[in-house]
Amino acid sequence: MLYSSTAITYSVLTILSRGKRSFEQMGLLIGRSGDTVKRLLHPAQSSFAITRNICQSIFEKEKTVYVGIDDTLLRKIYSQFMQGAGMFFDTKIGRRIMAYKLAICMITNGKIAIPIDCAYMFSKEVLDSIEEKFPSKDDIAKSFVQTARKLFADAKIIIVVDGLYVSVEFIRWCRSEKLKLEARMASNRVVEYKGEKIRVSNLLKLKGLHPIGRQMARSISVKWHTMDLELTIVRRFDKNDKESIVFQIATYKARPRDHVLNYAKRWKIEMINRTTKQKIGLEECYSRKLETQHRHVAAVLLAYTFAQLERIKSGLDSVEQALRLCERKSVKFLIDRFTRFSKHFCYFDA
């Protein structure tokens, strides 16, 4: 049986709502109560089943797909009673706040990005207060990658992550699974280069390693915790033409330019985080129950996926443009349109 429009309705409401996206506010769009809107929330895995099928259909002919993993804070600063919420440091404001920490996984080919899963990472205070064991950051990342491998068993997979996932456990696992990983490396890490241990930032002092002139990147072979890795030194320029240096680590050999281009695919998950927060209300669920929060997040990521389809079908340049186009439509129009998308791609309810 194809997914009915009820599985899509909540996602449509997140796109069309304005201001505070409470259940009651979204209910005004369809003349229903907040409790009715809450009942429209399907289990998170139902939403992700749709996004994964869409993802498979869009990228079925791709020989290489990129798995991006990133975390973001869902601010809940005015609540002390939301299940699982804890204190996390917010780098944007420079202090700890009450929030959920959400890890998101996407698949991209560098042009289109589809979120396929998410998971919560709880604060130490929360974990210390309960006996239940939860997956670690590395376990969550491994689970995401395994899901991607099942979806694209015949494609080459390249994992792109920031420095949070540069752990001995995760990199060693990627190597043992013969997975290609591209990650940002902190400049204060110590590696072994030509038999000598050296701080990553000090590599720039060695003759010939600092890219100069037209050279934008330089790759070298290093050891880190006895693992053979490729380290790429990358020159970057901001809008004011100011130069900076960043470092990347990889589990495979490639041209410096390819390491840089592959890691750049990670930017797509930053765009998912930004757009879903600013435009579709990723943070705007006010339920005290973690399960309801999880269902809301999954429905928002499904809304983002449908916006990607709208962008493709309408020939638009960005998801934001697709969302602006959707905002001019009615609830019924979008439900019918997104349901037709589902029928076109043959997504079946398990």
Side-chain angles (χ1 to χ4, degrees):
M1 175 181 175
L2 285 166
Y3 279 106
S4 66
S5 61
T6 58
I8 295 170
T9 301
Y10 189 92
S11 295
V12 168
L13 295 179
T14 64
I15 292 174
L16 295 180
S17 293
R18 296 292 177 274
K20 182 180 179 181
R21 285 180 175 83
S22 63
F23 295 143
E24 290 74 18
Q25 185 68 27
M26 289 192 287
L28 297 177
L29 291 169
I30 54 175
R32 295 290 188 270
S33 68
D35 286 340
T36 299
V37 171
K38 183 179 178 180
R39 287 194 292 271
L40 292 173
L41 272 173
H42 286 232
Q45 287 307 308
S46 296
S47 295
F48 284 125
I50 304 176
T51 67
R52 290 169 189 173
N53 282 325
I54 292 173
C55 189
Q56 282 182 303
S57 296
I58 289 177
F59 300 135
E60 62 181 349
K61 295 182 181 179
E62 297 285 346
K63 294 181 180 179
T64 301
V65 293
Y66 299 83
V67 180
I69 304 171
D70 195 22
D71 63 281
T72 188
L73 290 185
L74 306 183
R75 301 177 186 180
K76 307 292 180 181
I77 58 178
Y78 298 114
S79 176
Q80 302 293 323
F81 305 106
M82 287 184 175
Q83 184 183 24
M87 298 299 292
F88 292 96
F89 185 79
D90 188 334
T91 56
K92 292 184 178 179
I93 60 176
R95 62 182 175 86
R96 281 160 56 88
I97 61 168
M98 182 66 69
Y100 288 114
K101 191 171 188 179
L102 184 74
I104 297 176
C105 178
M106 66 148 192
I107 300 290
T108 185
N109 60 356
K111 297 178 181 178
I112 303 165
I114 303 293
I116 61 164
D117 208 349
C118 73
Y120 289 86
M121 294 187 287
F122 299 104
S123 67
K124 185 178 184 301
E125 294 91 339
V126 171
L127 293 176
D128 288 345
S129 67
I130 57 178
E131 294 184 359
E132 187 177 356
K133 295 290 186 180
F134 286 92
S136 67
K137 166 180 61 69
D138 291 329
D139 290 335
I140 289 171
K142 292 175 189 177
S143 175
F144 287 162
V145 174
Q146 294 288 35
T147 298
R149 294 174 83 179
K150 290 177 183 178
L151 293 177
F152 298 97
D154 297 326
K156 180 172 70 175
I157 288 176
I158 298 178
I159 306 161
V160 287
V161 295
D162 66 7
L164 178 67
Y165 295 92
V166 178
S167 69
V168 174
E169 178 184 345
F170 185 59
I171 295 181
R172 187 160 283 152
W173 178 80
C174 288
R175 283 169 51 83
S176 68
E177 295 291 319
K178 295 181 171 53
L179 290 164
K180 292 187 174 183
L181 171 74
E182 197 80 58
R184 180 61 50 81
M185 186 72 155
S187 61
N188 62 353
R189 298 292 180 97
V190 175
V191 298
E192 184 179 322
Y193 175 61
K194 292 186 175 180
E196 299 290 335
K197 290 187 176 181
I198 184 171
R199 190 185 180 101
V200 168
S201 59
N202 289 337
L203 288 168
L204 298 176
K205 299 178 182 178
L206 300 182
K207 185 177 179 180
L209 294 192
H210 195 308
I212 59 174
R214 298 178 64 181
Q215 188 180 42
M216 296 301 295
R218 175 76 185 271
S219 293
I220 59 174
S221 297
V222 300
K223 285 183 179 292
W224 187 61
H225 292 273
T226 72
M227 294 182 289
D228 292 316
L229 300 171
E230 292 297 299
L231 188 145
T232 303
I233 303 167
V234 186
R235 295 170 71 201
R236 299 195 309 181
F237 292 90
D238 63 17
K239 61 182 179 181
N240 297 317
D241 207 31
K242 183 179 179 180
E243 178 182 327
S244 61
I245 296 289
V246 295
F247 303 92
Q248 295 173 204
I249 206 77
T251 59
Y252 64 101
K253 288 181 178 291
R255 295 179 303 174
R257 180 175 181 271
D258 291 333
H259 284 304
V260 173
L261 291 176
N262 286 341
Y263 184 77
K265 306 294 191 300
R266 200 193 73 84
W267 175 243
K268 291 294 181 182
I269 201 164
E270 299 278 1
M271 295 175 67
I272 290 175
N273 290 340
R274 182 189 66 191
T275 301
T276 52
K277 283 184 178 182
Q278 295 180 355
K279 304 294 184 182
I280 327 178
L282 186 70
E283 297 176 297
E284 297 178 44
C285 180
Y286 304 95
S287 173
R288 294 183 178 182
K289 293 184 177 180
L290 180 60
E291 174 63 23
T292 304
Q293 293 278 346
H294 191 39
R295 292 184 176 200
H296 169 82
V297 166
V300 168
L301 294 175
L302 176 58
Y304 182 91
T305 301
F306 279 126
Q308 276 282 21
L309 289 180
E310 184 64 58
R311 178 180 78 83
I312 296 167
K313 288 190 171 291
S314 299
L316 302 173
D317 294 329
S318 68
V319 173
E320 287 78 7
Q321 288 180 348
L323 288 170
R324 285 195 291 272
L325 178 64
C326 291
E327 288 168 359
R328 298 197 289 268
K329 307 299 182 181
S330 68
V331 173
K332 183 180 184 305
F333 177 91
L334 288 185
I335 290 174
D336 290 344
R337 184 161 177 78
F338 293 164
T339 301
R340 286 197 299 273
F341 285 167
S342 297
K343 291 178 179 179
H344 174 74
F345 285 105
C346 297
Y347 306 132
F348 293 94
D349 190 345

